[in-house]
Amino acid sequence: MTAITDFTVKGADGMPVDLSGYVGKVLLIVNTASKCGFTPQYEGLEALYRKFKDRGFAVLAFPCNQFGAQEPGDAAEIANFCTVTYDVTFPLFAKIDVNGAGADPLFDRLKKDAPGLMGSRGIKWNFTKFLVGRDGKTIRRYGPQTTPAAIEADIAELL
């Protein structure tokens, strides 16, 4: 079985990013949006990142415009918003689709490894979060309403 860290994704600049650079780290992978009711979670995600990054933790954010067109900007606009509004320092990647025929393969894998309620595969909204262990295996999915602070204990346990 392929580890999450075996995938290659697109960086915010459109260039390939090999996730093997995150081998051995605990990851929280999130589909994000700048104009969503859950957007203030950027603050909590940044707090987790700053607290645990020196212990081998990273937040990987993937902007997505599939839910209510709540991420309309281009990469530069998204990065500027995240930096200016929430002082985000964790990696932001290229805008992607997380559902449907054009879904990014990374998210297809995450959904397969950690289905939602009643075994559903689809992502229901922005700020769905996936926790990945140091071995590159998906451990758990958290819904958008689960705050980053509520995940802190699970992350600490893996570190």
Side-chain angles (χ1 to χ4, degrees):
M1 184 179 260
T2 305
I4 295 303
T5 50
D6 292 335
F7 283 82
T8 298
V9 295
K10 287 185 181 176
D13 61 1
M15 298 302 295
V17 176
D18 187 343
L19 294 184
S20 66
Y22 294 97
V23 167
K25 292 185 183 280
V26 172
L27 304 174
L28 190 62
I29 300 174
V30 188
N31 67 301
T32 60
S34 300
K35 299 187 183 307
C36 174
F38 295 111
T39 300
Q41 287 189 21
Y42 269 123
E43 185 175 351
L45 293 169
E46 182 64 22
L48 287 176
Y49 179 64
R50 289 182 187 202
K51 182 171 187 172
F52 294 124
K53 69 180 179 177
D54 293 335
R55 292 175 53 192
F57 171 72
V59 173
L60 308 182
F62 291 84
C64 178
N65 197 39
Q66 284 188 292
F67 306 102
Q70 295 179 343
E71 189 58 276
D74 63 23
E77 291 168 329
I78 295 165
N80 184 62
F81 170 81
C82 290
T83 303
V84 170
T85 310
Y86 295 103
D87 197 23
V88 165
T89 60
F90 54 80
L92 295 167
F93 293 86
K95 189 161 44 172
I96 62 165
D97 283 350
V98 296
N99 289 327
D104 187 277
L106 171 65
F107 275 82
D108 279 342
R109 175 57 183 280
L110 290 165
K111 294 182 301 185
K112 178 180 179 240
D113 290 351
L117 292 175
M118 310 289 279
S120 67
R121 290 265 176 102
I123 291 177
K124 303 288 188 247
W125 205 256
N126 304 307
F127 289 89
T128 297
K129 302 157 203 73
F130 293 90
L131 185 61
V132 177
R134 289 186 186 275
D135 59 1
K137 293 182 181 164
T138 308
I139 295 176
R140 186 168 173 195
R141 177 196 288 215
Y142 302 89
Q145 71 285 359
T146 303
T147 64
I151 302 170
E152 183 172 343
D154 292 346
I155 294 166
E157 185 177 314
L158 294 173
L159 295 170

